Amino acid sequence: MRTSLCDTLGIDVPIIGFTPSEHVAAAISRAGGLGVLGCVRFNDADELDKVLGWMDANTDGKPYGVDVVMPAKVPDEVKGVDPETLIPEQHREFVDRTLAQLGVPELPEGEGRDGVLGWLHSVARSHVEVALEHPIALIANALGSPPPDVIAQAHDAGVPVAALAGKAEHAVRHVDNGVDFVVAQGHEAGGHTGEIASMVLLPEIVDAVGDRAPVLAAGGIGSGRQAAAALALGASGVWTGSIWLGTREYLETMPSSEPMQQALLAATSADTVRTRIYTGKPARLLKTRWTEAWSQPDAPQPLPMPLQNLLVAPAHNRIHASSDPSVVSMPVGQIVGRMNEVRPVADVVADLCSGFSGAVQRLTGIDDG
Amino acid sequence: MRTSLCDTLGIDVPIIGFTPSEHVAAAISRAGGLGVLGCVRFNDADELDKVLGWMDANTDGKPYGVDVVMPAKVPDEVKGVDPETLIPEQHREFVDRTLAQLGVPELPEGEGRDGVLGWLHSVARSHVEVALEHPIALIANALGSPPPDVIAQAHDAGVPVAALAGKAEHAVRHVDNGVDFVVAQGHEAGGHTGEIASMVLLPEIVDAVGDRAPVLAAGGIGSGRQAAAALALGASGVWTGSIWLGTREYLETMPSSEPMQQALLAATSADTVRTRIYTGKPARLLKTRWTEAWSQPDAPQPLPMPLQNLLVAPAHNRIHASSDPSVVSMPVGQIVGRMNEVRPVADVVADLCSGFSGAVQRLTGIDDG
């Protein structure tokens, strides 16, 4: 399983794995893919710096990347307004009332009230600054093209940039902006996602960008058969995310995430929902009592980015501390239905590769008739 | 491009094409696939009988099938209630007001006020009766398992039965009910469709039914690359629908559908919407001023099947007579974005086959590294 992407990125197999866990990211890179560390959880750039130092020491010299969340348009927060003041009281009341109804306890005095600041533009920029001081092989932006100066900054350091697209016209715009890889994010994907499913979106984007940029397939990929489908549709590699949440290494970085992992292992492919409640933009999440509460008639409309995440971040901390799988707030794709046991990262990579070969052999037999 | 399905159905290539047009269905069969004629448009079983007679004379002895729409549960209509009396006046008023606002003229006195009765259980049963008097190779039901006695009736005549499924548990239930082929209908498909996209749904259904029934992939398939993806995911063949709406032969059966065809050729993959306004169950339609009107705050909730179709059928007649592409009411999948020119059926089949081979060759190169 080898495409031109392998040479471009210096990897053995065209499997890119996005994960907030450095243990998972390093294991993906060691297994021959490209581990991409999600930075949004790092409120403190120094902490990211330390973790990237750990990555440098634990990837056996194999390449890895980072993922930031940065709208191309600079939002209000950097214009001198404290975004917290823009959150309506009605929204805060709904969150408090809902958490009480769901039986999610308050946090002990003085504990972990900070939200996740990585969604803020200024913090995402600090992630890029820090990451470029490490030997990263890729900067991906989970929200389309990053601002032009960020692309230039990455290119000056010799680092290619990837951007997510949910429509062919967005993909073309990204490439026009200087983006080097397009991640075609199908409707079935976890996190921010559009309406067009991978089966249709992927060849559209491949044809629209032509040979200007390799396209990575994101959404619905958890097995070698799905990787084969993605490459049949014209992708140069696969961008995977959800499947790594079910790995053994995930809990090494985040042992307190075991209830979340259990919730994912128990879910079917019908147990996700695409909603704006996580960040203000449509994103696919695990369907739980928390997401269901937001779809009730008494729920307010979600706020725009970055306000919605500022609103729910303290709630996420309470939910996380509660260890109750039934209220988990977690982005995940429809592939969650096939995540049924905890596996080591290396096994997932090996299965993707052997499943790919099996699918190709089957197709060859069909083609030969 | 040959799977075991070809032997089972006596066809050359595992391409099943659903279409309301007998000219298209016959051309698909003549090209080596299996044309499946949609029966829902035939209010009069004698008319269906006549058209199937035409099929018998125009398929060069190649097999063809029929598609009916039949809920497994017998609805109220057969329990002695006139369904027209169950439609609220508020709904009729909304339809009349909306058509006026959209500039859709009334029909001339005495012309074409009949709705499409094929959605009625009794009419669908008459379709099955008539079809079984012809040498059909398949009865497909566009709504899951048909009632047990209908399955038995088909089997007694030596005709296999196919049923649509949008979830693995539904697929297993269909096979338990005696259904012979499962059509895995992904979210991106036109017409009745669920929430799970083909990339995830297809391998789930393939694994869930195992070797008990071949699985046909439906949703998002309009090119050979997509057919290769579907077969990589484990399908034994592809079930296609939307792409045939853009063929030259379609207008031979329905010349007055040219404005509809033009609307489809102009649409992008983002120009569809999944809504209950066509039949009462979620179905993907072309997004037009008509579908948009139903998503406005003043629009009533769609009625349950079969009432919603009885409500909108006269409106569809007016829309059709208006020849205005901007108000078309037509089920179509996200693949509509790649339907950009009118093509003969044989060319579509040939492109599916050559595109399939091209994709397999590309994959073989990737597998060999």
Side-chain angles (χ1 to χ4, degrees):
Chain A
M1 190 182 181
R2 196 169 173 85
T3 67
S4 59
L5 190 77
C6 296
D7 298 322
T8 311
L9 289 171
I11 54 182
D12 300 327
V13 287
I15 298 169
I16 322 293
F18 161 79
T19 171
S21 154
E22 64 269 23
H23 286 87
V24 174
I28 294 168
S29 288
R30 287 196 308 268
L34 188 80
V36 174
L37 183 71
C39 295
V40 81
R41 74 179 169 95
F42 296 97
N43 289 352
D44 180 350
D46 287 345
E47 197 196 338
L48 173 61
D49 190 39
K50 210 169 69 183
V51 167
L52 292 180
W54 182 91
M55 291 282 291
D56 296 336
N58 286 278
T59 39
D60 297 354
K62 301 287 184 77
Y64 70 88
V66 297
D67 179 278
V68 297
V69 184
M70 195 180 273
K73 207 179 113 196
V74 177
D76 284 341
E77 40 141 326
V78 296
K79 294 179 185 155
V81 184
D82 177 0
E84 292 283 353
T85 63
L86 301 173
I87 297 176
E89 196 49 39
Q90 178 216 357
H91 280 75
R92 296 195 193 274
E93 283 166 12
F94 171 78
V95 168
D96 289 344
R97 189 170 70 240
T98 299
L99 290 174
Q101 282 166 356
L102 297 176
V104 177
E106 303 224 17
L107 293 177
E109 204 55 47
E111 221 176 80
R113 278 205 169 57
D114 284 351
V116 172
L117 304 179
W119 303 100
L120 298 181
H121 201 80
S122 51
V123 177
R125 279 182 176 264
S126 75
H127 293 156
V128 172
E129 299 281 352
V130 162
L132 287 175
E133 290 165 15
H134 293 264
I136 56 171
L138 183 73
I139 294 182
N141 184 30
L143 275 183
S145 300
D149 66 298
V150 173
I151 297 176
Q153 192 183 2
H155 285 175
D156 285 349
V159 175
V161 175
L164 260 64
K167 284 187 177 184
E169 64 202 78
H170 297 173
V172 171
R173 198 191 310 150
H174 297 339
V175 177
D176 289 345
N177 290 341
V179 161
D180 305 282
F181 302 96
V182 173
V183 180
Q185 176 96 338
H187 178 73
E188 54 271 71
H192 292 125
T193 183
E195 294 189 347
I196 308 168
S198 291
M199 185 70 92
V200 172
L201 180 70
L202 196 43
E204 276 197 348
I205 288 187
V206 166
D207 292 349
V209 305
D211 56 8
R212 298 175 67 203
V215 176
L216 306 174
I221 299 169
S223 73
R225 283 179 291 178
Q226 286 155 333
L231 270 56
L233 293 169
S236 295
V238 295
W239 175 277
T240 50
S242 303
I243 46 166
W244 311 109
L245 296 170
T247 56
R248 199 179 63 198
E249 287 87 343
Y250 192 81
L251 294 188
E252 286 177 24
T253 301
M254 287 171 261
S256 63
S257 292
E258 192 168 356
M260 181 276 288
Q261 198 177 62
Q262 290 307 314
L264 298 182
L265 295 179
T268 75
S269 58
D271 295 329
T272 71
V273 60
R274 185 170 167 266
T275 167
R276 296 199 297 112
I277 70 169
Y278 200 79
T279 67
K281 291 181 187 284
R284 187 174 300 283
L285 309 180
L286 185 69
K287 192 191 282 180
T288 63
R289 293 196 299 140
W290 167 251
T291 62
E292 291 293 274
W294 279 89
S295 67
Q296 298 308 306
D298 69 322
Q301 288 299 307
L303 301 170
M305 182 177 278
L307 301 183
Q308 180 67 17
N309 196 266
L310 289 174
L311 168 68
V312 295
H316 289 169
N317 291 346
R318 280 176 63 179
I319 285 171
H320 193 81
S322 79
S323 297
D324 178 355
S326 78
V327 293
V328 156
S329 178
M330 188 70 200
V332 75
Q334 293 183 337
I335 194 65
V336 70
R338 300 314 283 273
M339 293 159 51
N340 305 122
E341 55 173 342
V342 177
R343 291 190 293 163
V345 165
D347 286 8
V348 175
V349 173
D351 285 354
L352 281 166
C353 293
S354 65
F356 176 84
S357 284
V360 173
Q361 282 161 33
R362 182 169 175 275
L363 285 177
T364 304
I366 293 170
D367 191 39
D368 294 342
Chain B
M1 188 180 180
R2 196 169 173 86
T3 67
S4 59
L5 190 74
C6 295
D7 299 322
T8 310
L9 290 171
I11 53 182
D12 300 326
V13 287
I15 298 169
I16 322 292
F18 161 79
T19 172
S21 154
E22 64 270 21
H23 286 87
V24 174
I28 294 168
S29 289
R30 287 196 308 268
L34 188 80
V36 174
L37 183 71
C39 295
V40 81
R41 73 178 169 96
F42 297 98
N43 288 353
D44 180 348
D46 287 345
E47 198 196 339
L48 173 61
D49 191 38
K50 210 169 68 182
V51 167
L52 292 181
W54 183 92
M55 292 281 291
D56 296 336
N58 287 277
T59 39
D60 297 353
K62 300 288 185 77
Y64 70 89
V66 297
D67 180 278
V68 297
V69 184
M70 194 181 272
K73 209 178 115 198
V74 177
D76 284 341
E77 43 144 318
V78 296
K79 292 179 186 156
V81 185
D82 177 1
E84 292 283 351
T85 64
L86 302 173
I87 297 176
E89 197 49 39
Q90 177 216 356
H91 281 74
R92 297 195 191 274
E93 283 166 12
F94 172 79
V95 168
D96 288 343
R97 189 170 70 241
T98 299
L99 290 175
Q101 283 166 357
L102 297 175
V104 176
E106 303 224 18
L107 291 178
E109 204 55 47
E111 218 175 84
R113 279 202 167 60
D114 285 352
V116 171
L117 304 178
W119 304 100
L120 298 181
H121 200 80
S122 51
V123 177
R125 279 183 176 261
S126 76
H127 293 155
V128 172
E129 298 280 352
V130 163
L132 286 175
E133 290 165 17
H134 293 265
I136 56 171
L138 182 73
I139 294 181
N141 184 30
L143 275 182
S145 301
D149 67 298
V150 173
I151 297 176
Q153 192 183 1
H155 286 175
D156 285 348
V159 176
V161 175
L164 261 65
K167 284 187 175 183
E169 65 201 79
H170 297 173
V172 170
R173 199 192 308 150
H174 297 338
V175 178
D176 289 344
N177 290 341
V179 161
D180 305 283
F181 300 97
V182 174
V183 180
Q185 175 96 338
H187 178 74
E188 54 272 70
H192 291 125
T193 182
E195 295 189 348
I196 307 168
S198 291
M199 185 71 94
V200 171
L201 179 69
L202 196 44
E204 276 196 349
I205 288 187
V206 166
D207 292 350
V209 304
D211 56 10
R212 298 176 67 203
V215 176
L216 306 174
I221 299 169
S223 72
R225 284 179 291 178
Q226 286 155 333
L231 271 54
L233 294 169
S236 296
V238 296
W239 175 277
T240 50
S242 303
I243 46 166
W244 311 110
L245 296 171
T247 57
R248 199 179 63 195
E249 288 87 342
Y250 192 80
L251 294 188
E252 287 179 22
T253 300
M254 287 171 263
S256 63
S257 292
E258 192 168 356
M260 181 277 287
Q261 197 177 63
Q262 291 305 316
L264 299 182
L265 295 178
T268 75
S269 58
D271 295 329
T272 72
V273 60
R274 185 170 166 266
T275 166
R276 295 199 298 112
I277 69 169
Y278 199 80
T279 67
K281 292 183 187 283
R284 186 175 299 284
L285 309 181
L286 185 68
K287 192 191 281 181
T288 63
R289 293 195 300 139
W290 167 251
T291 62
E292 291 294 273
W294 280 90
S295 67
Q296 298 308 307
D298 69 323
Q301 287 299 307
L303 301 170
M305 180 176 281
L307 301 184
Q308 179 68 16
N309 196 267
L310 289 174
L311 168 68
V312 295
H316 289 169
N317 291 347
R318 281 176 62 178
I319 285 171
H320 192 81
S322 79
S323 298
D324 178 354
S326 77
V327 292
V328 156
S329 178
M330 188 70 200
V332 74
Q334 293 183 336
I335 194 65
V336 70
R338 299 315 283 275
M339 293 158 50
N340 305 123
E341 54 173 344
V342 177
R343 292 189 293 163
V345 164
D347 286 9
V348 176
V349 173
D351 285 356
L352 281 165
C353 294
S354 66
F356 175 84
S357 285
V360 174
Q361 282 161 32
R362 182 169 175 273
L363 285 176
T364 304
I366 293 171
D367 191 40
D368 294 342

